[in-house]
Structures are given as structure tokens and as C-alpha cells.
Amino acid sequence: MAVALSCHRCERRYDDIRVRCDCGEPLWIDADPTTFAWDERRDASGMWRYETLLPTDRPDGVARAAGGTPLVRSPGLDDAAGGRVFVKDEGENPTGSYKDRGSAVAVPHAVAAGDDVVGTVSYGNMAISTAAHAASLDRECIVFVPEEISSVRLELIAQYEPTIVQVRGEYGALYEDALELSERLPISVLVSDAPTRISGYKTALFEIYESFAPDTPDVIALPASSGGFASGVWLGVRELERAGVIDEPPRLCLVQTAAADPITRAFEDGSTDPTPVPPEEAGETIAHSIGNPDPPSGGRALAAVRDTDGAVVSVTDDEIRAAQRQFAVEGGFCVEPASATPLAGVSRLAEQGDVSPEESVVLVPTGTGFKELGTGGTDVTTETVHRAELSDRLESLLPPRGG
Ligand SMILES: *Cc1c(COP(=O)(O)O)cnc(C)c1O
Ligand SMILES: [Zn+2]
């Protein structure tokens, strides 16, 4: 399968699959967006509608269920956000997060390239997603998790029966180890910025674009941690620009947790690359899917924001809790804490005057909240009424019908 990769920063090109450019930046896979019939509404085959722009053929199995998530106008969230809100609900992917778009491309690509075993370094959504897609293709999957991991998370990953290795030692350093292992052994460790993953992520942007066409949304807000998803969305924007179908790109707004926000810091001080947050400075957060202190695609995420005139902001756990509640109470969406950050972030941007009420804002809740239930956080209020008194109780709450 011939692929061409290029570097967003130095524009060097490569014709073999590798993750990093000689300049150190992560690579992505080139496609020719000018050949795609953008204005033709065709079948609703999810992200595989863009098969010709992806580095792998449409596989069978769970990969076909990836992408194609709904984009819904959600007026109940307008006040909270400070703009006209559209929700692109990535929680509706087969394992409940946008990671499936990446796994749907990366896992079949690795298999087609002859690797019998895939792996990943994650104890969250990426682990769950990679294990599911490997299971669907009947491939071995090895997941490297930290030694300290909650039994709930372990169970979510284990249901697909991958080999789970609990790693003692500095977990953050495993990213580099994984790349080295993938070069030496017949295993593809599909890390956050594996180029085939990034190709899959761009389909989220294509779908948003096609839902709005011929208009373009003003703002797209998403959480950022390693910067992989932001990179994929930016790749999508660039391909649409190259295809000549959009003039003014949406402003990409990235939201980080204040507990570990190297991308926000670099954005604020004008740096090209984030400076890793030292372990002693990284705090605890309820948004455990984000908060990478040393984001491998941080420089590319910053470039995405600057190229589209967007912004990066950080939000506190209190703001995240409030936004998660608003998603549910004003919108009807169950999102995980990390996925509530776009609402909290846009709300902040609106307060600063960077988003105005008439602008269309796409919030991307990246993952469902259903995996997190039972971990506390929601105040549960109920009352108990005997069946014989139900009617009296309801009469005290509701007026008579027609009255
Ligand atoms: C992985 C993940 C993120 C962060 O994405 P990056 O590509 O690491 O920036 C955000 N939200 C959820 C739910 C995730 O699983
Ligand atoms: Zn380069």
C-alpha cells in the first residue's frame, strides 16, 4: 500500500510509514482531496464515505460502525456557551469515543502491512478502542497500562481480551519505547499520533463540513491532550482548503485542563512548541482523558490554532463539573469530564468577547460519560412515595388535565 507522508513544519516528504520527521515533528499522510466529489451527497456509510482519502480500504467488522456521528443543533446550550451550539457527538462511536475513527484506519492498516500484533500505550479510551478493533479483525493486541489502574478501567479494556501488561516505571517514557519496539519487532504500537490514526480523525472534520455546507461553522471546539485529534481536524481543514471547497476555515479552539496545560501556556507566550510540564507541577484532574504533560503533537496543535485564528484555553475542574452538568441538564448529553471542556472553554472565550452569540459553534464531546458512571460526582436526589399516595403526590405537582 503506497503512502506518502509529509511534515507540517518543514514540509519534508517520506514514502514509508514512520511516525516522526527528521526535524522531530510528527508526520501525517498525504491524500488528494481534489479528486473527491465534495458536493455530491452519497450513501451514509459513516467515515468510509471518505475511503478514497484514507490510507486503507474499508475493512469488515466494527470499523464500519466508526464515525458517521450525528451533528445536532442544541439550542439549550446556547446560553451556557455564548454562541449558537451544534454538538458533534463523538460518544456515539462503537467504543464511545472519537478514538474509533483512528483505530478503524490504523488497526486494519497495520494488519494489511503484515503485522500480526497491534498494541497501544493507554489506560483509557485509546486502549479500549484499539483492543476492540483488533478483536474485530481477530488480531492479537497488547495494551500497556500503568501499574496503578482502577479496576473499572481494567475491566473496560479487558472485555475485548487483549494482553494487558501493567508497566512499572515511568509510564510517560513509554511513548518513545513503543516507537522503538515497533521498529524492532513485528508489532505496531499505535500511539496517539500514529499517522494512520490522524488520517482517521480528519473524517470528523469532513463530516462537520458536509453537515454545514455550503456554510462553514465559525468555531470548532475540542479538548486537547496529546494533540492528536486536533492534528487530524486541522489536516481535514487543510485538505478542504486544498480542494477549494472552503475559503474561511473554522477557528479551531482547543481546551486543556488547568492541571496540565502545556499547550495553553505555549499559546499564551507565543512559543512554537510546548514546554513539558514537570511532574511536580502537574495536578490531579477529573478529566483523566486529557492532561498529557508532554504532548507529542503539541507543536502541531499550536500550528493548527494559529493557522485558523483560533485559541487555546484551560479550564478548572470546577468549570469542567459545571459544564458536564450543563451538557446533561440543558442538552441531554452524557459526556465524560474531558469532553465537557469544550463547553467550559467556549464559555470563557465568549466572556472575553472572542465568540459572539450569533456565531455557530461546534462543540465536540469526544467521549461518552456512560463509562464513568458510578464514580461519584452527581448529586442524586429522590423521594420515596407509597403507591397508594402516588396520585395525591402527583396532584400536588401537576394541574388537572385541561384545567
Ligand atoms: C484521547 C482523548 C482526548 C484527547 O485527545 P488527544 O488526541 O490526546 O489530544 C480527549 N477526549 C477524550 C474523550 C479522549 O479519549
Ligand atoms: Zn519536519
Side-chain angles (χ1 to χ4, degrees), residues 323-379:
Q324 191 181 18
R325 190 160 168 270
Q326 284 164 332
F327 257 116
V329 179
E330 335 271 7
F333 292 95
C334 175
V335 307
E336 65 160 271
S339 301
T341 61
L343 177 57
V346 166
S347 159
R348 179 86 69 76
L349 291 169
E351 266 164 38
Q352 297 169 8
D354 293 332
V355 170
S356 53
E358 72 285 354
E359 287 193 299
S360 50
V361 176
V362 178
L363 303 178
V364 189
T366 40
T368 179
F370 289 121
K371 293 177 201 165
E372 314 264 328
L373 299 179
T375 53
T378 304
D379 291 324

Side-chain angles (χ1 to χ4, degrees), residues 2-324:
V3 292
L5 292 96
S6 64
C7 173
H8 77 97
R9 184 168 291 170
C10 73
E11 292 177 6
R12 210 167 308 180
R13 299 171 69 86
Y14 300 86
D15 56 13
D16 58 329
I17 282 281
R18 53 167 89 194
V19 173
R20 302 236 141 211
C21 178
D22 290 342
C23 83
E25 279 298 286
L27 294 165
W28 52 24
I29 297 172
D30 296 325
D32 182 2
T34 60
T35 57
F36 193 79
W38 289 103
D39 46 7
E40 235 170 73
R41 307 242 150 213
R42 290 182 303 187
D43 58 306
S45 52
M47 60 181 274
W48 297 102
R49 166 163 164 61
Y50 312 106
E51 183 178 8
T52 56
L53 301 175
L54 295 172
T56 193
D57 295 335
R58 173 160 67 165
D60 286 329
V62 76
R64 292 220 186 175
T69 58
L71 177 102
V72 293
R73 170 81 179 104
S74 195
L77 293 170
D78 288 0
D79 281 348
R84 297 182 66 241
V85 172
F86 295 79
V87 174
K88 179 67 173 166
D89 188 11
E90 289 298 296
E92 295 208 15
N93 275 289
T95 72
S97 82
Y98 81 89
K99 298 284 196 312
D100 285 327
R101 292 182 189 271
S103 305
V105 174
V107 174
H109 184 278
V111 168
D115 282 335
D116 287 334
V117 182
V118 297
T120 197
V121 180
S122 163
Y123 52 101
N125 290 324
M126 189 151 69
I128 298 168
S129 175
T130 307
H133 288 261
S136 175
L137 296 179
D138 197 21
R139 290 306 145 131
E140 185 77 26
C141 179
I142 304 180
V143 179
F144 302 98
V145 303
E147 195 171 23
E148 305 292 330
I149 176 174
S150 81
S151 56
V152 177
R153 302 197 137 244
L154 219 39
E155 193 176 328
L156 283 164
I157 301 168
Q159 64 187 315
Y160 304 104
E161 299 192 353
T163 300
I164 300 177
V165 181
Q166 289 183 264
V167 181
R168 200 168 299 158
E170 197 199 334
Y171 189 69
L174 268 185
Y175 172 87
E176 295 292 341
D177 298 350
L179 295 186
E180 194 268 326
L181 286 171
S182 298
E183 266 175 35
R184 223 155 32 78
L185 300 169
I187 177 172
S188 284
V189 184
L190 301 164
V191 290
S192 64
D193 56 358
T196 45
R197 270 193 194 286
I198 306 302
S199 291
Y201 298 159
K202 74 184 178 184
T203 61
L205 187 277
F206 292 163
E207 289 173 15
I208 292 171
Y209 159 75
E210 291 204 287
S211 304
F212 273 85
D215 298 329
T216 313
D218 296 299
V219 171
I220 300 180
L222 41 129
S225 180
S226 71
F229 190 37
S231 299
V233 169
W234 185 38
L235 179 59
V237 169
R238 288 168 54 119
E239 291 188 0
L240 291 178
E241 286 179 318
R242 259 202 295 140
V245 295
I246 54 169
D247 302 323
E248 179 108 357
R251 279 136 50 210
L252 298 185
C253 294
L254 307 184
V255 191
Q256 295 218 281
T257 160
D261 58 354
I263 304 177
T264 308
R265 294 182 197 191
F267 178 71
E268 287 173 353
D269 66 22
S271 312
T272 308
D273 289 295
T275 303
V277 174
E280 65 277 11
E281 269 183 48
E284 293 278 304
T285 175
I286 56 166
H288 40 64
S289 291
I290 55 178
N292 188 330
D294 186 8
S297 295
R300 194 163 55 181
L302 280 163
V305 167
R306 294 195 172 118
D307 180 60
T308 59
D309 200 22
V312 193
V313 286
S314 299
V315 293
T316 64
D317 273 9
D318 282 346
E319 290 173 287
I320 295 172
R321 261 186 221 102
Q324 191 181 18

